[in-house]
Amino acid sequence: MHKLEKIRKSLTTSQIIILGFAGVILLGSLLLMLPVATRDGRGAVFADALFTSTSAVCVTGLVVRDTATYWSGFGQAVILTLIQIGGMGVVTVAVAVFIVSGKRISLRERSIMQEAISANQLGGIVRLTGFIIRMTVCFELLGALVMAPAFCREFGVGKGIWYAVFHSVSAFCNAGFDLMGDKALYSSLTYFAYSPSVNIAVMSLIVIGGIGFLTWDDIRSKKFHFRKYRMQTKLILTVTLGLILLPALFFFFMEFQELPLGKRILCSLFQAVTPRTAGFNTVDFGLMSENALAVMVILMLVGGSPGSTAGGIKTTTFAVTLSAAASVFRRREHVHFFNRRIDDATVRNALAVLGMYLVLFLCGGFLISQTEGLPLGTCLFESASAIATVGLTLGITPGLGQLSRGILIVLMYIGRVGWLTLLFAAFSDKRQAGTERMPLEKLNVV
């Protein structure tokens, strides 16, 4: 026991986070292998269970087995629990359990929580955890209440309520898992493509979960006064609004021309919201143009915001890289937002994150295309969906071989825990590095 405690104390915050996610994924895999987890009573093979558990914990939504028809009620409940843990974060859930049990939260545990949710300061972490729990429960219940009438009319009261709860949690956690079955009529949410209550509820939950708990905490504390918000909150809200409206206008004018005005607006808005990073769809992607799919890949890679249930490079990283490029064009020394200067370390981190995501996205797509003999564009779409933890698919995932599925598992895991977290965990030397200053020499890059 003393040895285990010593090992635990020797772990860095990054190592605890990645091991926590890995542990939950493994536990979920074992539960999904139980005979009671599948409808045929045989249990899933380890490869299918591992893929499904990883997709749920990493709130992605890519599946190799249809959630509605393959998994039993118990299996679906396990998947929903994994989605909830993955959406809120393993560390957040663990701290919540400590709070409920009355256990004192140590300074080390508060520090881990701070890094897990990207909080700016250590103070108030416990209070923030309570806020995250209350907010999650309230919005998920509200979403379920809004969707319940539509689902109950279609599937009956009992099944309708379960479907409402499942899809509400899946939408808030930006997971993209659905229970619509494998019939063409019920592919994802296409059957409810023109249902205002389902569309608005799902879109709202995706956005609410995707802008981040810290953003909502700032909004709540500042009483909805935009000028009083922190610079990060202003940036997240502005970029999020732009990334919804601009793609929606693109989809409205370039796609869905055959639909009536009201249905066209719903489909355009939904396809602008869901790639960041929820994984639901209300239209058949096979009928969409290549340009539209390319726009969706970009939206998938951008993702949500820091400290949220969403993945991707994050809206702040996207904004910083664009602003850094603009500052070069304008010959400005620093990056600015809302009359505030961004430090150079943040710019370097943003460029590093963007670069690594692009490398992983491209390499994943190339490897899957080479292994499976599939078109590169289709594989890149699947790769972007995995690394950004989205869950949108062009239908190739269930038919992939084990090597390609393994690539997607790695991409989903890295996309959820963050590649910087993995690097910090791998290089755990706590000594300050890089403080020495080498001789300066000019390098031409243009």
Side-chain angles (χ1 to χ4, degrees):
M1 190 69 178
H2 177 71
K3 188 175 182 180
L4 291 175
E5 183 67 18
K6 187 177 180 180
I7 294 174
R8 186 183 69 84
K9 289 183 177 181
S10 67
L11 293 175
T12 64
T13 299
S14 298
Q15 289 170 340
I16 290 174
I17 292 173
I18 67 169
L19 290 175
F21 273 99
V24 174
I25 289 172
L26 180 58
L27 177 60
S29 302
L30 296 176
L31 290 175
L32 292 176
M33 291 175 67
L34 296 175
V36 71
T38 57
R39 292 189 181 276
D40 60 10
R42 298 177 181 177
V45 297
F46 178 72
D48 290 349
L50 177 62
F51 191 98
T52 303
S53 181
T54 304
S55 183
V57 175
C58 297
V59 289
T60 304
L62 291 175
V63 296
V64 292
R65 295 288 187 175
D66 182 70
T67 310
T69 58
Y70 182 76
W71 303 105
S72 65
F74 174 82
Q76 293 172 9
V78 170
I79 292 172
L80 187 64
T81 303
L82 295 176
I83 290 172
Q84 189 72 84
I85 294 173
M88 293 178 61
V90 174
V91 177
T92 304
V93 174
V95 172
V97 172
F98 288 162
I99 293 174
V100 172
S101 63
K103 185 180 182 297
R104 182 178 176 276
I105 309 299
S106 67
L107 184 62
R108 174 176 170 78
E109 289 160 349
R110 293 168 192 258
S111 177
I112 296 172
M113 180 66 184
Q114 178 190 9
E115 181 168 332
I117 63 175
S118 304
N120 296 319
Q121 59 186 22
L122 191 61
I125 287 295
V126 176
R127 177 199 62 79
L128 182 59
T129 303
F131 172 74
I132 291 173
I133 296 170
R134 292 193 301 272
M135 174 187 167
T136 300
V137 172
C138 288
F139 279 116
E140 288 177 351
L141 285 177
L142 182 61
L145 288 174
V146 173
M147 288 188 283
F151 286 130
C152 288
R153 282 195 300 269
E154 187 63 31
F155 303 109
V157 176
K159 193 175 182 179
I161 292 175
W162 169 239
Y163 273 39
V165 172
F166 189 99
H167 290 91
S168 181
V169 173
S170 184
F172 181 81
C173 293
N174 281 227
F177 278 83
D178 69 83
L179 296 178
M180 293 297 115
D182 58 356
K183 297 179 182 179
L185 182 64
Y186 292 100
S187 176
S188 190
L189 295 177
T190 53
Y191 185 75
F192 296 94
Y194 311 130
S195 170
S197 60
V198 173
N199 274 256
I200 293 173
V202 171
M203 284 190 291
S204 299
L205 289 168
I206 292 170
V207 173
I208 291 169
I211 65 174
F213 299 112
L214 296 176
T215 302
W216 280 109
D217 186 53
D218 194 29
I219 293 173
R220 180 190 61 83
S221 62
K222 304 296 173 51
K223 307 299 182 184
F224 297 94
H225 291 293
F226 185 83
R227 292 185 177 181
K228 296 181 180 180
Y229 295 159
R230 295 191 305 267
M231 182 269 292
Q232 175 170 304
T233 300
K234 293 179 182 178
L235 182 62
I236 287 173
L237 294 176
T238 304
V239 174
T240 298
L241 182 62
L243 289 174
I244 292 174
L245 294 181
L246 293 179
L249 290 174
F250 170 83
F251 290 127
F252 182 83
F253 288 108
M254 304 303 293
E255 307 284 330
F256 317 130
Q257 289 92 342
E258 72 283 358
L259 298 177
L261 180 61
K263 296 178 179 179
R264 190 175 176 184
I265 292 174
L266 273 181
C267 287
S268 299
L269 281 173
F270 197 93
Q271 301 317 310
V273 170
T274 191
R276 307 178 35 253
T277 57
F280 295 107
N281 64 282
T282 57
V283 297
D284 183 359
F285 289 162
L287 302 178
M288 299 183 71
S289 66
E290 291 186 358
N291 290 336
L293 295 178
V295 170
M296 296 184 73
V297 168
I298 295 173
L299 293 176
M300 285 193 287
L301 291 175
V302 173
S305 302
S308 72
T309 61
I313 65 172
K314 302 296 186 294
T315 53
T316 49
T317 300
F318 176 69
V320 168
T321 52
L322 289 183
S323 185
S327 67
V328 173
F329 301 151
R330 297 179 180 181
R331 296 183 180 276
R332 290 181 177 177
E333 186 176 356
H334 298 289
V335 175
H336 298 84
F337 293 113
F338 299 100
N339 299 317
R340 293 291 185 272
R341 178 170 57 87
I342 306 300
D343 68 284
D344 293 338
T346 300
V347 177
R348 290 196 300 270
N349 286 341
L351 293 174
V353 168
L354 175 62
M356 282 304 301
Y357 263 84
L358 290 178
V359 168
L360 291 170
F361 152 64
L362 292 173
C363 289
F366 287 148
L367 288 173
I368 294 173
S369 178
Q370 186 68 28
T371 303
E372 303 293 334
L374 294 171
L376 179 59
T378 301
C379 296
L380 286 175
F381 189 95
E382 221 78 3
S383 175
S385 183
I387 188 64
T389 69
V390 180
L392 292 177
T393 178
L394 295 180
I396 67 171
T397 298
L400 295 178
Q402 293 303 326
L403 177 58
S404 297
R405 290 185 185 185
I407 293 172
L408 292 180
I409 288 175
V410 172
L411 291 177
M412 289 189 289
Y413 185 70
I414 294 176
R416 184 65 185 105
V417 302
W419 81 270
L420 281 178
T421 302
L422 287 172
L423 287 182
F424 293 156
F427 303 101
S428 58
D429 190 352
K430 298 180 181 179
R431 294 175 297 177
Q432 187 70 19
T435 55
E436 66 277 3
R437 295 172 66 88
M438 299 297 179
L440 178 65
E441 187 169 342
K442 291 289 185 179
L443 175 67
N444 294 330
V445 294
V446 293

